Amino acid sequence: MDARERIETAIRLGKPDRVPVVPIIDFFAGRYGGITQHEMFFDIEKADAALEKTMRDLGLIDGQNLSYAGLGRIMQAIFPTPPIMPGVRGVPEDGQFQFVEKTVMAPEEYRLIEERGPLRWILDKMKLSTPEMGKPAGFLKVFAGAGRDIMKARRSVKRWRSKGVESMVAYNIVFTPMEYISLFMRSFNDFILDLFRRPEEVKAASRALMKTMQMQGLMMVRSSGLKRVFMGGTRTSASFLSPKQFEEFALPEWQEMCEFWVRRGVTPLLHFDSDWTAFFPYLKNLPRGKCILNLDGSSDIFKAKEVLGDHMCIMGDVPAALLKLGEPEEVEEYCRKLIAEVGADGGFILSSGCTIPVDAKPENVKAMLASVHRHRP
Amino acid sequence: MGDSLAVLLAELREDEALALVRGSLEGGADPLSLVEELRQGMTEVGRRFEAGEYFLSELIMSAEIFKEAVEIIGPHLQGGSGADKGSIVLGTVKGDIHDIGKNIVSTLLRCEGYEVHDLGVDVEPAAFVRKLEETGARLLALSGLLTLAFDSMKETVAAVAEAGLRERVRVILGGGPVNERVVEYAGADAFGEDAAQAVRLANRYLGA
């Protein structure tokens, strides 16, 4: 089996020749490979060379989960509030990428999304947070830069595939409307209060945004040629919402979004940070054998196997803290347990819990990558 | 007669709770007793959270109502709100700007009656030390989501020790990846898995 077959077999709940290992590795690989985080985000050739060195020294991967390599300009074009980006606007070259929790939308604006049209409304917001986008030249510059990097990313996907490393999603990043509103528009706290104070407006805004979110994703899928999409879920998790709220607000969105992709033969990679354990039973409403549930170490992945093992491929979840503070033997033992228990009967992809941290111990990363060769389900 | 302020708060009936606060103040009610009722409401919210009836979103909403109510009552209070359970210095450590968890903990500690000095995000160790010296606080709560925060937490605890304050000051940690091992790495005293646990730790260490 090659890496791609191994991964696809696991996604369809089958049992590959061994468990595939598909971490989010580029923050770590950038530093390990001797480049700055800025270079990792803005120079995909350098980032790819850094990953090559990392694999040479520490072991091969079957694929890259989300890869941030070369995505700097693309993220600047699709994220309406700019994150803290290494080497941009005074952030140190080797600083840490982080989202900024900021309210850029007044509560009364929920109604505006439909009135103004979702795409125009999003562009209005982007112009406010990135003033240069307000001028045609600046606007063109941002999107031309992103376009160039999309071409480079496509070439990188092909290069890696020829070397036996599968890119899961490249830049195919999609949000459900409520995750998007909470992350980029209203900020976490205000969004939560909105669910109590103006539930119908939130739902209407979600309906208004859905199509735009899907179309943006579809454009990415078509241009990348990769039939998988990365969908981050945090703010609608069981860490924050009650089951009643999840049922009322978020589940219909997740269902609609996943069904949209599955109808088009695209696999949703549900990158679910924070604790989703209490919501696992709801995920049975998503299409069977067509989605990947990627957990970050906060959810109970063993419980996920119990509840969802026959329903969706499970991916995860070597915790960031373990990779930084643990010893190689502990990392190996944790991976062994994942492979034996979550990997039993297939349907499992070994990955990092969210990302391998930039300051992980190299010997721990090595132990993680080696574990899929040393242990069998 | 309608439901009490404590009940309205516990049931997250925002408009009714705020209307009752305003009405009571106009009717000459004792502002301190209103604050006390709000605290009882928050205690009930905490109980429901512990029992798994309420979730974090409800905790956030209740804290918001509490805050709004206290803002209305504030000008009527003479000699403070009776919040004298002690001072706490809190913030997200150097290099990290995640503040969702920190803000929730900060709000809940205030509701509980603590004087909270929230230094914000990306806080240098020296700034924590200065605030501890200035306020005489006996509890320092450090938050972080990134693994690099572990190093900043360690640095901060070392700076507290360096300033000769470690005897007096307990240090608690919070944030997604924080666990017992991070407590040990940073040289802190304990960590909270969730916001409610942070409040329990504060009560334990500050003797409430």
Side-chain angles (χ1 to χ4, degrees), chain A residues 20-162:
Chain A
V21 56
V22 184
I24 301 184
I25 195 167
D26 19 44
F27 291 109
F28 170 80
R31 178 157 307 170
Y32 183 82
I35 62 171
T36 65
Q37 295 290 298
H38 179 76
E39 288 171 312
M40 188 277 286
F41 267 107
F42 290 90
D43 188 335
I44 200 162
E45 279 93 9
K46 278 189 184 169
D48 286 352
L51 179 55
E52 291 237 27
K53 176 184 161 46
T54 306
M55 289 203 299
R56 241 184 350 259
D57 291 359
L58 305 180
L60 298 178
I61 57 174
D62 290 291
Q64 299 198 65
N65 188 333
L66 177 66
S67 164
Y68 291 88
L71 287 199
R73 286 179 199 88
I74 300 170
M75 286 186 166
Q76 285 172 333
I78 62 169
F79 291 175
T81 40
I84 290 192
M85 186 66 90
V88 176
R89 292 194 183 97
V91 178
E93 290 284 311
D94 206 27
Q96 174 98 35
F97 170 84
Q98 296 179 61
F99 284 108
V100 180
E101 203 63 41
K102 198 170 151 193
T103 304
V104 298
M105 166 189 167
E108 297 75 30
E109 280 186 77
Y110 276 106
R111 276 187 233 108
L112 268 184
I113 301 180
E114 202 168 3
E115 281 171 32
R116 175 95 174 123
L119 192 56
R120 261 206 262 152
W121 178 78
I122 289 171
L123 288 174
D124 290 347
K125 286 288 158 201
M126 291 177 92
K127 284 175 196 165
L128 283 179
S129 61
T130 316
E132 58 262 39
M133 285 186 72
K135 301 181 191 96
F139 186 83
L140 275 177
K141 197 175 153 212
V142 169
F143 279 92
R148 267 197 307 279
D149 282 0
I150 280 178
M151 301 303 286
K152 286 187 190 169
R154 286 175 54 176
R155 284 200 291 276
S156 166
V157 166
K158 282 194 189 135
R159 262 196 319 272
W160 282 116
R161 190 172 276 174
S162 73

Side-chain angles (χ1 to χ4, degrees), chain B residues 20 30 67-68 72 101 129:
Chain B
L20 181 57
D30 171 20
K67 198 173 84 188
E68 290 175 310
I72 298 170
V129 170

Side-chain angles (χ1 to χ4, degrees), chain A residues 332-353:
Chain A
E332 173 161 1
E333 172 53 22
Y334 187 74
C335 293
R336 186 204 59 74
K337 191 166 181 246
L338 284 176
I339 292 167
E341 294 180 26
V342 189
D345 316 317
F348 174 61
I349 298 172
L350 181 70
S351 188
S352 43

Side-chain angles (χ1 to χ4, degrees), chain A residues 84 96-101 188-189 192-193 196-197 235 238-243 245 278 298 320-322 324-327 330 357-359, chain B residues 12 14 54-58 60-61 64-65 67-68 95-100 103-104 146-151 176-179 181-182 185:
Chain A
I84 290 192
Q96 174 98 35
F97 170 84
Q98 296 179 61
F99 284 108
V100 180
E101 203 63 41
F188 171 80
N189 204 70
I192 292 285
L193 299 178
F196 290 97
R197 287 172 171 163
R235 284 139 194 275
S239 288
F240 306 127
L241 300 195
S242 67
Q245 286 170 320
S298 308
L322 182 63
K324 177 180 163 93
L325 300 180
E327 299 302 324
E330 294 169 277
V358 66
D359 51 0
Chain B
L12 310 177
E14 183 180 21
Y54 271 6
F55 295 80
L56 197 72
S57 60
E58 279 122 353
I60 291 171
M61 187 64 206
E64 173 77 8
I65 301 172
K67 198 173 84 188
E68 290 175 310
D96 199 328
I97 62 155
H98 291 92
D99 63 359
I100 291 176
N103 290 344
I104 297 168
L146 304 166
T147 52
L148 67 80
F150 304 166
D151 299 311
V178 170
N179 57 24
R181 178 160 225 153
V182 179
Y185 179 77

